[in-house]
Amino acid sequence: MMNLRLKLFTAFITLIIIPLVLVGVITYFVTFDLIEKRYSQQAEFSLKAISQNIQFVFSEMDKVTENGIAGNVVQTAIGAVNSRELDLSDAKQLKLNENQRNFRVNLFSHPTISFAFAYNLKDATIASIFTKENFTALPFARFKREPLYQEVVELNGAPKWVGPYEYKEITGTDPVFTQIRMVKELTTMKNIGVLITQIKNWEIERIFNDFRYSKNLEDTRFFLVNEDGLILYDTQESYNGENINQYLGKPMKFNSSYQSYRDDFNQHESVVSMNKLKDQQWYLVSTTSWNSLSQDMGIFLKWVVGILFISLLAAFLFFWLFMNRITKSIIRIVRFMRRVENGDLSARVDEEGNDELYLLSKGFNSLIFQVNNLLEEVKKEQKHKAQAELRVLQAQIKPHFLFNTLESINVLAIQNEGRKVSQMVYRLGNILRISIQDKEEIMISQEIEHLRSYLEIQKFRFDELFNFDIQMPREVLNSMILKLTLQPLVENSIQHGFEGITHQGFLQVTGHVDGEDIVITIQDNGIGISNRQLRKFQYLKNDDILIQEGQDVVMNERRGLGLRSVADRIRIQYGYRYGVYICSEENQGTTIRVRIPKYGPGEVYEAKSDAR
């Protein structure tokens, strides 16, 4: 069973400490989840805004090339180029003809355009607009076998954008974006060539830089990747041309909707966000270190944890200083209650302080005082009752016993048995002398003398009925006993135990010391008592005489005044540890044991078990 201190400590942990820890843990996760959600919303806005700006750059280039095609400049340039104009890297190349110069000035004067050339579908020649060192255009025959060419044809004049590193054979190895579109003859709308235009990354870099610094995204890294995960553009230019999935904890799933989640990037916990460009098969990806996002909140949480720790420490101190005092006081009172439960009605609690514990201690002491008074009154009433029953017993014994004894003396006198008359008168005098004493307690030696005189008289009256033997050691004879304790028990054996027997009865009275107690045994070889007879002449009641038949044990008390009076007097005088015990079996005799405390003349025995 849990003690009070442990119960209070368990309640303190359950109702205070655990809720505080749960609040802290929930706050931690909710806070960081909120950070992630708010950053996700910010990243979504940024990625969509950047996507729109990048798409605007591509749209502007689309308009530039559309204007060139619509102005018939591109068609003219394609038609003017012959097969000798394939290698523009030759420093000695002749100047472009007038149509080519017009094409370059009017169409490709935009500052972001870095290189352009066109395939002539009619003769598979290449019309170069700009020169580009260390780059040789892919022959048209090979280009025509590429899947990209078929995509351009299917677009039917609409532009197709190719990112860096996607088709190095066609676009080269420079980090530039390439537009490929079919050129049509304006009057017949027949395909006459393929225009390939490359733009510089200036505008795209400017877009990313503006957003990174204007939106406080210095710790954010942006990537432009295709649907295979190939990095087309890296704001830090260290992962260009590599696959982004090799740096992520789990492969990225590309779809058309915005997504943001927490994942490892380059072995660092990060928030990864992704948004698809509207008209391209490219995806804008941003990664932000989780430490940088949670740094400020981490400082805040450290303060919260510190304050929470101080609060918990203060709570523990409160528990040990105040609750410990309360539990100690209550436990002390409980110990005194247990002492009272064990019969120590002198226990008193120190009345300290001026709070509820003081009132509890004072109330406890007052209660014990009242219990003491009530017990004293009960003891007095029980004592008076026992004395009254003793007087009734004495009054009951005297008339018929005296009458029978005097009748026996008269018979002896008629028979001139002077010696026997003298012995009978002497024994009757002993009985009367002890019976009329005002003392309630006498020495066991006096009680035995009274018992022996009674048995001698009864044996004279019933000479052939029974015989007796009394064996009592000296240490027993020197102890005290309630007057007239043994005579009613012996009388019960003579009157009931030897009634109707065919053999001579034998009555043995012995005594011995058992620890701090004295046990006196009265044993006869009479007819015994059956269980049915016991139930007929006795009523059940707890804490009364213990009655046994063979192995059956029941707590009963005889209905007869003598046995009950003896049992009640012993129990009231000495407490519930003591009393009369009967062991009987039919046709086997009866054994009666009397257990009383051992104390000598002049000593006062106080019952220790009155407070039950």
Side-chain angles (χ1 to χ4, degrees):
M1 183 172 58
M2 297 175 65
N3 58 38
L4 181 60
R5 184 181 288 107
L6 182 57
K7 288 182 178 179
L8 290 176
F9 182 75
T10 303
F12 174 75
I13 295 295
T14 305
L15 301 178
I16 297 178
I17 302 302
I18 293 180
L20 284 177
V21 173
L22 287 177
V23 167
V25 173
I26 292 173
T27 301
Y28 173 84
F29 285 104
V30 169
T31 301
F32 281 97
D33 185 66
L34 182 62
I35 292 175
E36 184 176 351
K37 288 182 179 178
R38 293 190 63 181
Y39 172 77
S40 176
Q41 294 173 354
Q42 180 183 3
E44 181 179 9
F45 170 78
S46 299
L47 291 181
K48 289 183 177 180
I50 294 174
S51 298
Q52 290 178 356
N53 283 284
I54 293 175
Q55 195 64 44
F56 177 77
V57 173
F58 293 149
S59 298
E60 285 295 312
M61 291 300 100
D62 292 342
K63 292 179 181 179
V64 170
T65 55
E66 286 175 1
N67 291 333
I69 294 173
N72 205 27
V73 180
V74 177
Q75 291 87 339
T76 304
I78 292 175
V81 176
N82 54 43
S83 59
R84 291 191 304 269
E85 297 176 305
L86 293 177
D87 189 7
L88 292 180
S89 63
D90 191 353
K92 297 180 180 181
Q93 181 182 356
L94 297 175
K95 292 182 179 181
L96 296 172
N97 58 28
E98 188 65 24
N99 289 332
Q100 289 176 315
R101 287 197 299 270
N102 291 336
F103 176 60
R104 182 174 183 178
V105 172
N106 296 330
L107 184 60
F108 298 102
S109 60
H110 198 282
T112 59
I113 296 177
S114 64
F115 178 71
F117 68 93
Y119 288 108
N120 189 329
L121 298 183
K122 184 177 181 179
D123 56 8
T125 57
I126 298 177
S128 298
I129 313 303
F130 291 92
T131 61
K132 188 175 185 180
E133 295 183 0
N134 301 323
F135 175 76
T136 301
L138 186 70
F140 179 73
R142 290 183 54 189
F143 173 65
K144 194 174 182 179
R145 293 194 297 267
E146 295 289 335
L148 179 61
Y149 174 77
Q150 188 61 35
E151 292 183 34
V152 173
V153 172
E154 292 176 357
L155 289 173
N156 198 25
K160 166 69 177 178
W161 282 94
V162 178
Y165 320 112
E166 286 188 300
Y167 294 95
K168 295 181 181 180
E169 302 85 354
I170 300 173
T171 62
T173 59
D174 293 339
V176 292
F177 291 88
T178 304
Q179 183 200 75
I180 304 175
R181 65 188 308 171
M182 188 67 67
V183 180
K184 292 180 178 293
E185 204 278 323
L186 297 179
T187 58
T188 62
M189 297 302 295
K190 291 182 178 181
N191 297 332
I192 61 173
V194 178
L195 177 63
I196 299 177
T197 307
Q198 293 184 344
I199 64 171
K200 302 175 183 178
N201 293 337
W202 296 347
E203 289 296 323
I204 296 178
E205 290 178 354
R206 180 184 59 80
I207 293 171
F208 283 116
N209 290 333
D210 289 345
F211 266 89
R212 288 176 62 190
Y213 296 108
S214 63
K215 304 298 182 181
N216 296 321
L217 300 176
E218 294 87 348
D219 296 324
T220 301
R221 187 171 186 170
F222 293 96
F223 301 92
L224 193 62
V225 300
N226 65 9
E227 55 189 359
D228 296 326
L230 179 66
I231 300 176
L232 309 178
Y233 178 81
D234 176 14
T235 53
Q236 296 186 10
E237 300 182 356
S238 56
Y239 295 151
N240 287 332
E242 300 185 37
N243 196 297
I244 195 172
N245 287 322
Q246 65 183 348
Y247 299 101
L248 295 173
K250 55 185 177 181
M252 182 174 289
K253 296 181 180 179
F254 298 98
N255 52 57
S256 59
S257 60
Y258 170 79
Q259 56 179 308
S260 180
Y261 55 91
R262 204 186 305 185
D263 192 9
D264 288 340
F265 179 78
N266 200 18
Q267 299 181 350
H268 295 286
E269 187 177 14
S270 306
V271 177
V272 180
S273 303
M274 182 185 68
N275 185 63
K276 185 179 181 301
L277 270 66
K278 182 178 180 182
D279 297 327
Q280 309 294 334
Q281 292 300 318
W282 297 336
Y283 298 85
L284 189 59
V285 179
S286 68
T287 61
T288 303
S289 172
W290 178 251
N291 290 333
S292 65
L293 290 177
S294 60
Q295 183 176 7
D296 294 337
M297 187 56 64
I299 296 174
F300 169 75
L301 288 177
K302 287 180 180 178
W303 278 99
V304 171
V305 170
I307 296 173
L308 182 62
F309 176 78
I310 295 174
S311 301
L312 293 177
L313 182 61
F316 273 110
L317 290 176
F318 168 79
F319 176 81
W320 287 114
L321 294 178
F322 294 95
M323 298 302 293
N324 204 35
R325 173 180 173 271
I326 294 174
T327 54
K328 281 184 176 179
S329 300
I330 295 177
I331 291 172
R332 184 174 69 252
I333 294 175
V334 170
R335 282 201 301 267
F336 277 92
M337 288 181 177
R338 289 175 179 170
R339 288 177 55 184
V340 173
E341 182 181 357
N342 293 329
D344 184 8
L345 296 180
S346 63
R348 295 294 185 273
V349 180
D350 295 336
E351 301 175 2
E352 300 176 350
N354 56 358
D355 53 9
E356 287 77 4
L357 293 176
Y358 165 77
L359 296 177
L360 180 61
S361 301
K362 186 176 181 181
F364 172 79
N365 292 336
S366 177
L367 176 63
I368 299 304
F369 178 77
Q370 295 294 332
V371 170
N372 264 326
N373 290 339
L374 291 175
L375 287 176
E376 287 298 326
E377 293 180 5
V378 171
K379 287 177 65 175
K380 289 179 181 178
E381 293 178 358
Q382 293 289 350
K383 189 173 183 179
H384 293 159
K385 176 184 176 183
Q387 291 174 348
E389 288 185 349
L390 178 60
R391 287 192 292 270
V392 171
L393 179 63
Q394 292 173 345
Q396 185 185 33
I397 293 174
K398 288 175 184 177
H400 79 271
F401 179 72
L402 287 176
F403 176 79
N404 293 331
T405 303
L406 291 174
E407 183 72 24
S408 299
I409 293 174
N410 182 50
V411 172
L412 291 174
I414 294 174
Q415 296 176 354
N416 292 322
E417 296 285 345
R419 184 177 178 182
K420 290 185 178 180
V421 170
S422 175
Q423 291 177 352
M424 291 287 286
V425 172
Y426 174 76
R427 294 184 182 102
L428 179 61
N430 284 339
I431 292 174
L432 294 177
R433 183 173 59 253
I434 294 174
S435 298
I436 64 176
Q437 285 184 7
D438 292 334
K439 296 179 181 180
E440 186 175 357
E441 293 180 318
I442 60 175
M443 294 182 64
I444 294 180
S445 60
Q446 293 177 290
E447 180 74 8
I448 293 298
E449 183 180 356
H450 174 273
L451 179 64
R452 191 183 298 275
S453 297
Y454 172 80
L455 289 173
E456 289 290 348
I457 292 174
Q458 294 291 61
K459 189 176 186 308
F460 175 79
R461 292 180 57 216
F462 310 104
D463 186 32
E464 301 298 330
L465 179 63
F466 75 96
N467 202 350
F468 70 91
D469 178 46
I470 299 176
Q471 298 291 335
M472 204 66 59
R474 183 179 299 276
E475 60 268 22
V476 174
L477 294 173
N478 292 332
S479 297
M480 303 297 291
I481 192 173
L482 289 174
K483 182 176 62 176
L484 294 181
T485 296
L486 303 180
Q487 185 270 331
L489 306 180
V490 171
E491 182 183 10
N492 181 77
S493 295
I494 295 173
Q495 291 182 355
H496 301 286
F498 297 152
E499 182 180 4
I501 61 175
T502 58
H503 58 278
Q504 185 181 33
F506 182 76
L507 188 66
Q508 186 177 35
V509 181
T510 59
H512 67 277
V513 177
D514 184 11
E516 297 181 354
D517 300 336
I518 289 177
V519 177
I520 298 175
T521 303
I522 301 171
Q523 187 174 10
D524 65 60
N525 62 346
I527 61 175
I529 307 172
S530 67
N531 189 47
R532 180 180 59 81
Q533 290 174 322
L534 289 176
R535 294 185 180 277
K536 180 178 179 182
F537 291 105
Q538 301 157 14
Y539 62 92
L540 291 172
K541 180 180 178 183
N542 288 338
D543 300 325
D544 271 328
I545 299 177
L546 178 66
I547 300 170
Q548 298 179 325
E549 183 194 16
Q551 299 301 320
D552 297 332
V553 179
V554 289
M555 295 299 295
N556 287 326
E557 185 178 53
R558 295 202 60 166
R559 187 171 57 182
L561 180 61
L563 272 172
R564 179 177 180 183
S565 177
V566 171
D568 285 344
R569 289 170 59 217
I570 291 176
R571 188 171 57 253
I572 294 171
Q573 182 70 20
Y574 303 127
Y576 283 87
R577 287 184 53 206
Y578 304 99
V580 178
Y581 303 81
I582 298 179
C583 177
S584 180
E585 187 174 354
E586 192 172 5
N587 299 322
Q588 296 296 325
T590 301
T591 300
I592 301 175
R593 290 188 178 89
V594 178
R595 179 177 289 272
I596 59 176
K598 183 178 182 297
Y599 63 101
E603 300 180 16
V604 179
Y605 180 82
E606 293 290 339
K608 298 181 180 180
S609 58
D610 291 339
R612 300 191 58 174

